[in-house]
């Protein structure tokens, strides 16, 4: 409940979500959202480029992860770097009831779902690039990103579903679940038997 | 080099990729592709709904994974099930030089890249659903899918990059790399300390 809640912005976001729920996303206009929030269209466009961006607001998560990654000491393992960066995510998480509505609007609208998938993929690309800049090889950067994003998505989902735990605990629980799932893979004892890297 | 190579279809695919490379994806028409392959437009549409689908051809990979998963004995772990299903993937992999061109066309065209991301996400959803139908819980199905897809993508990428190893070896090598990356996470000794599941 911090940074993102510029009061104007939050009002616009909540007004938009209310209208999306009541009359549908497609039938809602920017003018209606602004009016419903008691604000002008001009203030809407100060915060969002269009009504879709209310749902995918800004790049706080991306900025949060990039800043978080930059703070981790050099020589930290790739996945450990991401796990450390994830601890700052609660600062940019919307309130639970906003997230629930936001996810419901996206889930009900195929173009919005596609947009959401693309945003996620872009976030993964930016994250993998940040790891590469820290000296991790391509393969490590990609695999750590895949694992990290799976853990983050799981923790966020649990949080949205209402689990009563702080975000760090949810992250740790999801990491433990991921390791339990990964225990299916044959253990690696030595470097032999691995495919050569390119 | 097997099932997918219906001769007509392969000719169309190669003709399309040649034209995409020579004159660009946007400027290439279905009529040109058919002519370049020495076939009629009618035969083109027997195989593909439009020129974009030449690049995302069919659902062989999805069908291959679903069939592969169905063959795995019940009670197999979620990720072990996927790893077993992946061994059949070479049957539906395009020849390396086709894959390289195909990826280059997609990478150069933002709408195609988005389409590709969406296809991948849909494949993950279908895979997670197949695991749930086998009795795995939501969390396990999602995490196993994330890990499995990361391993499959890594093995495929290595294969495209020309590593001289059979696909099973590349899968095993990628799984080993993934475990090495996951070693950053704190080991799980007991069930205590895990967040409660919903």
């Amino acid at each position: 409940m911090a940074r993102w809640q510029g009061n104007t912005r939050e009002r616009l976001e909540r007004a938009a979500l209310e209208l999306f729920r009541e009359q549908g996303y497609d039938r809602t206009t920017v003018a209606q959202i602004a009016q419903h929030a008691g604000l002008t269209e001009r203030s809407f466009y100060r915060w969002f480029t269009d009504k879709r961006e209310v749902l995918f607001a800004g790049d706080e998560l991306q900025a949060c992860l990039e800043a978080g990654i930059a703070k981790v000491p050099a020589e930290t393992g790739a996945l450990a770097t991401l796990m450390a960066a994830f601890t700052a995510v609660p600062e940019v998480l919307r309130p639970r009831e906003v997230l629930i509505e936001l996810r419901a609007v996206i889930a009900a609208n195929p173009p919005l779902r596609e947009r959401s998938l693309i945003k996620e993929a872009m976030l993964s690309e930016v994250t993998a690039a940040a790891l590469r800049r820290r000296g991790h090889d391509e393969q490590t950067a990609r695999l750590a990103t895949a694992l990290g994003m799976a853990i983050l998505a799981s923790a966020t989902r649990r949080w949205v579903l209402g689990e009563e735990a702080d975000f760090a605990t949810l992250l740790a629980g999801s990491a433990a679940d991921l390791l339990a799932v990964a225990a299916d893979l044959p253990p690696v004892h030595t470097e032999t038997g691995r495919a050569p890297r390119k």
Side-chain angles (χ1 to χ4, degrees), chain A:
Chain A
M1 296 254 193
R3 241 186 289 166
W4 75 278
Q5 290 185 317
N7 205 358
T8 308
R9 179 162 170 184
E10 188 185 355
R11 272 163 67 194
L12 287 163
E13 209 163 271
R14 290 186 186 264
L17 285 172
E18 254 180 68
L19 292 174
F20 292 164
R21 184 186 56 220
E22 282 165 19
Q23 60 188 36
Y25 172 81
D26 288 326
R27 274 196 296 253
T28 300
T29 65
V30 167
Q32 290 171 337
I33 295 169
Q35 195 189 11
H36 197 62
L39 293 161
T40 60
E41 278 190 66
R42 198 185 176 124
S43 14
F44 180 94
Y45 288 113
R46 208 171 292 140
W47 289 100
F48 306 104
T49 51
D50 54 41
K51 71 173 175 173
R52 195 178 69 173
E53 283 312 299
V54 179
L55 298 165
F56 300 106
D59 291 312
E60 289 105 336
L61 183 54
Q62 181 178 322
C64 164
L65 293 187
E66 289 190 298
I69 290 170
K71 276 188 214 139
V72 178
E75 312 301 324
T76 306
L79 184 52
T81 299
L82 297 185
M83 294 300 289
F86 292 163
T87 58
V89 165
E91 290 174 36
V92 297
L93 268 186
R94 267 101 184 105
R96 182 176 282 146
E97 72 279 8
V98 171
L99 262 188
I100 291 172
E101 287 212 32
L102 200 144
R103 290 185 165 211
V105 173
I106 292 172
N109 185 309
L112 294 177
R113 280 197 61 212
E114 297 199 344
R115 181 74 199 151
S116 170
L117 293 173
I118 289 158
K119 275 261 181 176
E120 276 170 33
M122 277 165 24
L123 185 64
S124 287
E125 279 184 20
V126 168
T127 304
L131 290 176
R132 281 195 304 267
R133 282 196 303 276
R134 291 171 64 88
H136 298 289
D137 65 50
E138 177 73 33
Q139 170 82 339
T140 301
R142 284 181 190 240
L143 291 174
T145 299
L147 296 182
M149 291 303 167
I151 292 168
L152 180 60
S154 159
T156 307
R157 195 170 60 89
R158 287 164 159 206
W159 187 80
V160 169
L161 289 175
E163 281 193 30
E164 293 301 331
D166 63 27
F167 202 72
T169 305
L170 295 176
L171 281 172
S174 295
D177 285 352
L178 182 127
L179 279 182
V181 167
D184 277 3
L185 299 174
V188 183
H189 295 298
T190 68
E191 286 291 297
T192 53
R194 293 176 62 189
R197 290 272 190 86
K198 268 281 152 67

